[in-house]
Amino acid sequence: MLVHLQGPWTPLFGRLTLAQIPYHNGIVLGAFIFAAAAGLVIMAALTYYRKWGYLIREWITSLDHKKIGVMYIIVGLVMLFRGFIDGVMIRTQQAMADGPHSAGHLQALHGYLPPFHFDQIYSSHGTIMIIFAVTVVLTGFQNIIVPLQIGARDMAFPYLNAVSLWLTAAGAALVMISLFVGDFSHAGWVGIIPLTELPYSPGVGVDYWDWALQLSSLGTTLGALNLITTIVMMRAPGMTWFRMPFFTWASLSTQTIGLTAFPVLGVALALLSADRYLGTHFYTGGMGGNLMLYTDLFWIWGHPEVYFIILPAWGIMSEVIPVFSEKALFGYTVMVAATLSIAGLSWAVWLHHFFTMGAGPGVNLFFSVSTMLVGIPTGVKVFNWSLTLYRGRLRFETPMLWAIGGLILLLVGGLTGMMLAIPAINYTVHNSVFVIAHFHMMFLVSVYGIFAGMMFWFPKVFGFRLDENSGRKFFIFFSLGTATTFSAMFTLGFMGMTRRLDYLYDPHWQPLLDIEEFGIFLYCVAVFYFFKMIYVSLRDRAKESHGQDVWSTSRTLEWMTLTPVPYYNFAVIPEVHGRDEWASRRESGFEDSGPEEYEDIHLPKSSIAPAVIGALAFGFGFGMTWRIWWMAGLSLLGIIGVVILRSFADQSGIVLSAEAVRRMEQKPEGTGIITDHISPPVAELEALS
């Protein structure tokens, strides 16, 4: 039976009223104006240049793994920017609200953010950065690169790949719309129990958070299944397990975590939904439930998720460092074993997140030791990267700078992690910003890996390099911001500053808070250079175009394809003869040898169904959040209907003739990812015509 809630409710709009739109909040109103203006500019540009058809035909309906990966990355970068703005607001509030005499602005007693608004911002910051930014961008890289590295035409299930993307986008859209319609959760990104229960959070904020995570976790689980199947079943002839590029191994380990961990998150959130909607008491301490049940379930997912976002970044670093050291990766087999062992150990460390709960010395000892054990394979990686660099012909181009920066941050984050693995130290610094600084060090390793991968593979996908001058300045200011902000945060943690504070009582912290704010300013300068890098690169793309192997010392199979990569990937599926196949061919003088005979290529038809499913999933989540039952019900029925109608569409695909492939290989200008060529037909539209 549905829980009866106090407050207005109507059958047509549910709990949604005009009062739920925070137009009276100056900050939210400014964000809405900015978002609306940006949206209008984009729509006007698409209309002026007549690109709506191109957008729908070439991107929205596409099942090409590369385009799906690029869309993942675009969604992730948009969310990364939003999460960064939240971080700026958090640090600015703390710098302004230190001490009893600090001034108040915009209806705040201290600083400029009232406590309830501040709680929403730190909740959305963590949720966005972990779930909808870094996780999504790294998933995009895996979508683009893994099929290329193993010599495949596409993912094992192209249609399912698109569904995964649009479910993730639906979850991200729920988070974004919560900024303008209603509120977001104030219970932290982890969903702190009992704050997520109805008596403590009767509004819609927790529901937004709940359904956004439900949709994205479903998309991630389906994506993990797809990537694992692709790696296991679609490797090119001769691509044995120990000839696979290391990034593919990292992706396999990552997606194994995803396939087994994200369903646990789904179960934890389903039980929370039952508590909030059906009146059950799985987590209600006073009604027979157990508060620790949620905490255990969440962190059983939560700590493997940490490795879900860092293993791909390590995989990127393991591709970049050998290329710019002009050496093979040192200790490949040991690195593979270390990656698999980290994925396994990730399941045995979740309780170190709550050493202070009083589980007893035996339990704390087990999880302390298991946490320290993770440091062994992680240390192996650091030594192997260092030995790859040793006596190499080092070239410090932007991808290499980001990879080495990530290596340095890993040392800081790893060593502080070993400190936190000791229960006695953990008791001292628990719930302090020292823990936040440690986590950001590890999280930023993934961010550095992302930017290393972006600089490294961008020219392969799009056909031109990113501007080196702006890229170096972006790296320099980003690194200065990292060092400045988190050095001060580590120190504040030792001084006793706890996390999630909208008001700070100790004026002696002010100098370090100002240093943090200066670090945030350096980050803002870095963001400027990031956008400048994109602009200059697009402006000068004709000058920055390059041939097949952009870096001249690349090693893996994706560099065998044309640049930019054609939509069919390989004219002929290559036969692999060893590890680092492309480096072996280049060193043997066979890099220019094309196939003697071409063959017909089978490609899937495009499909509008995944995007429609994503839109309906958003409608379902929005309807459930506001308890607009007709919207939720019709959206769910719509999803079922689309799946059924899809089954009647012609899914045989299309065939690209061998002669057409030959022409494209000889004149590749019309095969790139951004080219407006004649796409595969949309299967559902064919069925209706």
Side-chain angles (χ1 to χ4, degrees):
M1 186 175 179
L2 294 175
V3 175
H4 174 72
L5 296 176
Q6 293 183 348
W9 180 88
T10 61
L12 185 60
F13 295 110
R15 305 179 70 189
L16 183 59
T17 63
L18 287 177
Q20 297 290 345
I21 301 175
Y23 54 86
H24 57 279
N25 186 311
I27 296 173
V28 174
L29 182 61
F32 175 77
I33 293 172
F34 172 80
L40 288 173
V41 168
I42 293 172
M43 293 175 66
L46 289 170
T47 304
Y48 180 80
Y49 291 105
R50 300 180 180 179
K51 290 296 184 181
W52 284 106
Y54 165 76
L55 179 66
I56 296 171
R57 186 177 62 251
E58 298 287 346
W59 291 89
I60 303 299
T61 62
S62 177
L63 300 188
D64 182 353
H65 71 97
K66 299 178 293 298
K67 290 184 177 180
I68 290 173
V70 169
M71 287 188 283
Y72 262 117
I73 292 172
I74 291 172
V75 170
L77 288 178
V78 170
M79 300 304 287
L80 188 69
F81 180 72
R82 160 74 195 279
F84 169 72
I85 296 300
D86 286 343
V88 171
M89 295 176 70
I90 292 169
R91 299 303 157 212
T92 303
Q93 166 67 19
Q94 291 182 333
M96 293 175 62
D98 185 31
H101 301 295
S102 55
H105 310 277
L106 299 177
Q107 301 178 344
L109 186 61
H110 299 278
Y112 70 104
L113 292 174
F116 187 70
H117 192 183
F118 181 82
D119 290 349
Q120 294 177 59
I121 289 174
Y122 76 68
S123 299
S124 66
H125 174 70
T127 301
I128 288 170
M129 287 301 205
I130 295 169
I131 306 298
F132 294 104
V134 170
T135 295
V136 173
V137 173
L138 290 172
T139 301
F141 277 120
Q142 292 168 78
N143 263 272
I144 296 170
I145 301 302
V146 167
L148 295 172
Q149 285 197 334
I150 64 174
R153 292 243 182 265
D154 208 314
M155 298 282 278
F157 309 112
Y159 172 75
L160 187 66
N161 195 26
V163 172
S164 301
L165 163 70
W166 292 108
L167 286 175
T168 302
L174 278 177
V175 175
M176 294 298 275
I177 201 171
S178 70
L179 181 63
F180 309 122
V181 183
D183 297 308
F184 194 67
S185 172
H186 66 281
W189 81 271
V190 302
I192 302 170
I193 291 288
L195 293 181
T196 51
E197 292 285 308
L198 270 177
Y200 300 92
S201 299
V204 297
V206 171
D207 298 317
Y208 266 128
W209 170 84
D210 179 7
W211 293 108
L213 263 63
Q214 290 267 32
L215 293 175
S216 67
S217 67
L218 178 58
T220 304
T221 303
L222 295 176
L225 176 65
N226 204 348
L227 271 164
I228 292 171
T229 306
T230 302
I231 295 170
V232 172
M233 301 300 297
M234 299 190 67
R235 300 192 306 277
M239 178 69 76
T240 59
W241 285 108
F242 286 95
R243 288 178 180 175
M244 289 198 314
F246 187 78
F247 179 73
T248 301
W249 271 113
S251 299
L252 180 62
S253 303
T254 299
Q255 299 306 327
T256 302
I257 292 173
L259 185 61
T260 51
F262 275 86
V264 179
L265 176 64
V267 169
L269 294 176
L271 297 181
L272 176 63
S273 300
D275 279 6
R276 291 183 61 85
Y277 287 83
L278 302 178
T280 58
H281 298 287
F282 291 104
Y283 305 138
T284 310
M287 302 294 291
N290 190 335
L291 301 179
M292 285 306 302
L293 173 61
Y294 174 82
T295 307
D296 276 308
L297 285 174
F298 184 88
W299 285 113
I300 286 173
W301 162 81
H303 206 85
E305 159 68 6
V306 172
Y307 297 103
F308 186 90
I309 64 176
I310 204 167
L311 286 176
W314 288 345
I316 293 171
M317 292 163 61
S318 299
E319 298 291 342
V320 171
I321 289 174
V323 168
F324 294 99
S325 300
E326 300 188 22
K327 286 174 60 180
L329 179 66
F330 183 89
Y332 167 92
T333 305
V334 178
M335 288 283 275
V336 169
T339 300
L340 294 174
S341 63
I342 289 172
L345 286 169
S346 70
W347 286 95
V349 295
W350 83 87
L351 197 133
H352 72 214
H353 288 273
F354 36 96
F355 271 145
T356 60
M357 75 173 190
V363 173
N364 284 356
L365 176 63
F366 173 85
F367 284 94
S368 175
V369 171
S370 63
T371 304
M372 292 181 184
L373 286 176
V374 178
I376 297 174
T378 305
V380 166
K381 288 180 175 295
V382 172
F383 282 116
N384 283 15
W385 288 326
S386 301
L387 290 169
T388 304
L389 292 166
Y390 177 64
R391 302 190 71 176
R393 296 181 178 181
L394 304 184
R395 290 158 36 212
F396 294 100
E397 299 187 53
T398 45
M400 185 67 152
L401 294 176
W402 286 102
I404 293 177
L407 174 58
I408 293 171
L409 286 185
L410 176 58
L411 293 173
V412 178
L415 291 172
T416 52
M418 290 300 99
M419 293 172 61
L420 292 170
I422 302 171
I425 295 178
N426 199 296
Y427 267 77
T428 303
V429 298
H430 178 75
N431 211 34
S432 75
V433 293
F434 180 89
V435 178
I436 304 303
H438 153 71
F439 178 74
H440 277 79
M441 288 294 100
M442 299 303 296
F443 188 80
L444 283 166
V445 173
S446 297
V447 175
Y448 272 68
I450 283 172
F451 290 127
M454 184 180 296
M455 309 292 179
F456 184 57
W457 281 311
F458 187 95
K460 189 64 197 175
V461 176
F462 291 99
F464 59 94
R465 287 179 56 172
L466 290 170
D467 179 55
E468 187 78 10
N469 183 43
S470 300
R472 288 179 179 274
K473 292 177 181 177
F474 172 42
F475 168 78
I476 290 170
F477 280 100
F478 195 95
S479 299
L480 289 173
T482 299
T484 304
T485 301
F486 295 104
S487 296
M489 193 176 293
F490 275 120
T491 307
L492 284 167
F494 280 131
M495 294 174 68
M497 177 179 164
T498 53
R499 61 202 300 187
R500 309 187 187 101
L501 294 179
D502 70 300
Y503 163 72
L504 293 82
Y505 60 86
D506 191 343
H508 295 96
W509 294 343
Q510 188 67 57
L512 288 169
L513 294 170
D514 291 339
I515 291 174
E516 280 189 0
E517 188 69 3
F518 179 68
I520 293 296
F521 168 76
L522 295 174
Y523 272 133
C524 292
V525 176
V527 170
F528 165 78
Y529 279 111
F530 174 80
F531 285 114
K532 181 182 178 182
M533 175 184 69
I534 300 297
Y535 168 74
V536 172
S537 303
L538 290 171
R539 185 193 64 191
D540 300 337
R541 59 187 179 277
K543 301 177 185 177
E544 290 292 336
S545 59
H546 293 270
Q548 189 172 6
D549 185 354
V550 177
W551 308 110
S552 303
T553 53
S554 305
R555 310 190 65 82
T556 45
L557 212 56
E558 71 268 27
W559 301 98
M560 281 184 59
T561 65
L562 297 175
T563 299
V565 183
Y567 55 89
Y568 51 81
N569 288 359
F570 298 91
V572 175
I573 297 298
E575 186 171 343
V576 178
H577 302 90
R579 194 182 301 157
D580 290 344
E581 175 72 11
W582 176 241
S584 299
R585 294 194 182 199
R586 184 180 62 246
E587 292 163 4
S588 303
F590 293 111
E591 70 270 28
D592 295 325
S593 59
E596 297 180 0
E597 295 184 4
Y598 293 91
E599 57 189 26
D600 294 346
I601 296 176
H602 181 273
L603 295 171
K605 292 183 178 180
S606 298
S607 176
I608 192 66
V612 174
I613 289 174
L616 291 170
F618 171 80
F620 174 78
F622 189 83
M624 291 298 293
T625 296
W626 289 99
R627 289 167 168 76
I628 308 174
W629 305 124
W630 64 265
M631 179 185 289
L634 288 179
S635 298
L636 185 58
L637 289 174
I639 292 172
I640 297 171
V642 169
V643 172
I644 293 173
L645 289 174
R646 160 76 181 176
S647 67
F648 290 98
D650 180 12
Q651 301 171 34
S652 59
I654 63 169
V655 176
L656 196 63
S657 69
E659 183 57 33
V661 175
R662 182 187 298 275
R663 290 196 305 268
M664 292 177 186
E665 288 290 301
Q666 293 171 351
K667 190 179 180 181
E669 290 81 6
T671 63
I673 193 171
I674 60 174
T675 305
D676 189 0
H677 53 68
I678 299 175
S679 329
V682 177
E684 293 81 9
L685 298 183
E686 275 195 331
L688 294 173
S689 62

